[in-house]
Amino acid sequence: METTVGHAEKYLGQFCTLMASYTRKTAKLRDKADLVVKQLSDFANTENPELRTCLKNLADDLAMVQDYRQAEVERLETRVVMPLKAYGDIIKQKRADMKKFNSTRNHEMKELEKLEKIRLKNPSDRHGISQAEASAQKASAEASRTTRQLEETINDFQKQKMEDIKKIFSDFLTIEMLFHAKALEVYSSTFQNLENFDMEKDLETYRSRVHIYDGTIDSMALPTSRSTSSMQRSPRPTWRTPQSTLRRQQEIEDEYESEEEDDLEDLGEEYAQIRR
């Protein structure tokens, strides 16, 4: 009986400590995931439409999973940790019952020893021996009754312990399966959304934005260049081939010759007028 209670106290206490730590770690994981959700939302607001929608859907789905995780934490606390914690008081009560049993048994042993001493010391003391025998019988009856009660108590404790362990860990598995089933359902949809993300469409949007931006710069630069050219016009250089240069020189020479002929005719007319 002592061993049964001792093992229950040791291992159920350790299970309580571990499951409480498991629940706290799960709650911390939920808190970290909430930070990831916030970071995803902030980052999504800086991106192009397709990626922004994809990231916001991811953040919403991850937030939904954290709602399921919160429910998991609450259920672990109420259905796993609290029942294990309750065994602390149950074991204290069983130890008190065992202490009472040990006290009753020790009293029985003392009464029997007292009876034996009286018999050895005064075998002829019938009155003393009768009183000692009555006390011993009473102590033995009380010890027997206490022993039966303790046996029943320990049997009930063992039965209740097995039922509780079965229920506690069944609830633990049910809570975990329920959470993971819900999370898998959400994550499957989230994964498909990520797979359907249209990267090319976002790239086209990005390229169009960059092109429009460059065009704005060009359109702003063009009026400036036109106004500058209207205010200050510089002669455009004329590039000619050797043939065009020769033709131009020939034309210039012909012009000079025709001008010289006109000048000679004018001088001849003036000279004729002077002689007259």
Side-chain angles (χ1 to χ4, degrees):
M1 291 183 287
E2 182 71 28
T3 302
T4 300
V5 174
H7 286 168
E9 182 179 24
K10 176 182 177 181
Y11 290 105
L12 293 180
Q14 291 176 349
F15 280 132
C16 181
T17 301
L18 290 173
M19 296 309 298
S21 177
Y22 182 94
T23 304
R24 289 194 300 270
K25 297 287 185 182
T26 304
K28 289 181 179 179
L29 179 59
R30 173 207 60 205
D31 295 339
K32 294 297 182 182
D34 288 338
L35 295 177
V36 175
V37 170
K38 183 179 183 302
Q39 194 74 8
L40 282 170
S41 298
D42 293 342
F43 178 55
N45 292 329
T46 66
E47 287 298 322
N48 293 320
E50 289 294 321
L51 182 56
R52 179 168 61 248
T53 301
C54 183
L55 291 176
K56 283 188 175 294
N57 289 336
L58 174 59
D60 291 341
D61 291 343
L62 189 57
M64 186 185 302
V65 172
Q66 302 325 303
D67 292 338
Y68 294 139
R69 201 184 300 277
Q70 174 63 25
E72 176 194 14
V73 170
E74 294 174 356
R75 289 167 181 163
L76 287 173
E77 183 68 27
T78 56
R79 299 184 186 179
V80 178
V81 178
M82 293 303 294
L84 287 171
K85 187 177 179 180
Y87 262 85
D89 295 333
I90 294 173
I91 289 174
K92 286 181 181 179
Q93 182 62 43
K94 301 311 171 187
R95 287 199 174 279
D97 294 339
M98 291 178 62
K99 185 177 180 180
K100 181 180 178 180
F101 165 74
N102 290 330
S103 177
T104 303
R105 188 174 61 177
N106 291 335
H107 179 67
E108 179 192 15
M109 295 298 296
K110 287 180 180 179
E111 292 296 329
L112 291 174
E113 289 175 359
K114 183 179 178 181
L115 173 62
E116 187 65 24
K117 286 180 181 179
I118 293 175
R119 283 176 176 175
L120 292 174
K121 187 176 181 179
N122 295 313
S124 60
D125 188 2
R126 295 294 180 182
H127 180 70
I129 292 174
S130 297
Q131 288 182 341
E133 286 178 347
S135 297
Q137 289 176 358
K138 183 179 179 181
S140 295
E142 182 66 19
S144 297
R145 185 180 65 82
T146 304
T147 300
R148 288 193 300 272
Q149 287 179 349
L150 183 61
E151 288 176 352
E152 292 174 0
T153 299
I154 293 301
N155 288 332
D156 292 341
F157 170 75
Q158 182 68 11
K159 180 181 179 181
Q160 188 65 42
K161 183 188 72 175
M162 291 188 293
E163 291 176 352
D164 288 342
I165 289 175
K166 178 182 178 181
K167 185 176 188 308
I168 288 170
F169 286 101
S170 295
D171 286 345
F172 171 74
L173 293 176
T174 302
I175 291 167
E176 291 297 300
M177 287 189 295
L178 181 62
F179 166 74
H180 288 292
K182 292 290 187 180
L184 181 60
E185 180 181 354
V186 175
Y187 283 148
S188 298
S189 176
T190 307
F191 182 80
Q192 289 299 322
N193 289 335
L194 285 174
E195 287 293 308
N196 296 331
F197 165 52
D198 193 349
M199 187 184 300
E200 290 299 325
K201 187 174 181 179
D202 249 7
L203 284 174
E204 290 177 4
T205 303
Y206 179 75
R207 292 190 191 104
S208 65
R209 283 172 52 192
V210 172
H211 178 69
I212 291 172
Y213 181 73
D214 293 341
T216 303
I217 293 178
D218 294 341
S219 63
M220 291 174 65
L222 285 174
T224 305
S225 61
R226 285 197 296 269
S227 61
T228 304
S229 62
S230 63
M231 292 174 63
Q232 296 179 355
R233 293 181 180 273
S234 58
R236 295 172 58 189
T238 304
W239 302 98
R240 297 188 180 91
T241 60
Q243 291 81 0
S244 61
T245 303
L246 292 175
R247 285 196 298 271
R248 179 59 180 164
Q249 290 178 351
Q250 183 65 40
E251 291 174 356
I252 293 173
E253 290 177 356
D254 293 339
E255 290 177 359
Y256 285 158
E257 290 178 357
S258 61
E259 288 178 357
E260 288 178 354
E261 291 177 355
D262 293 337
D263 291 339
L264 288 174
E265 290 179 357
D266 293 337
L267 289 173
E269 291 178 356
E270 291 178 358
Y271 179 75
Q273 291 177 359
I274 293 171
R275 287 186 62 186
R276 291 192 189 112

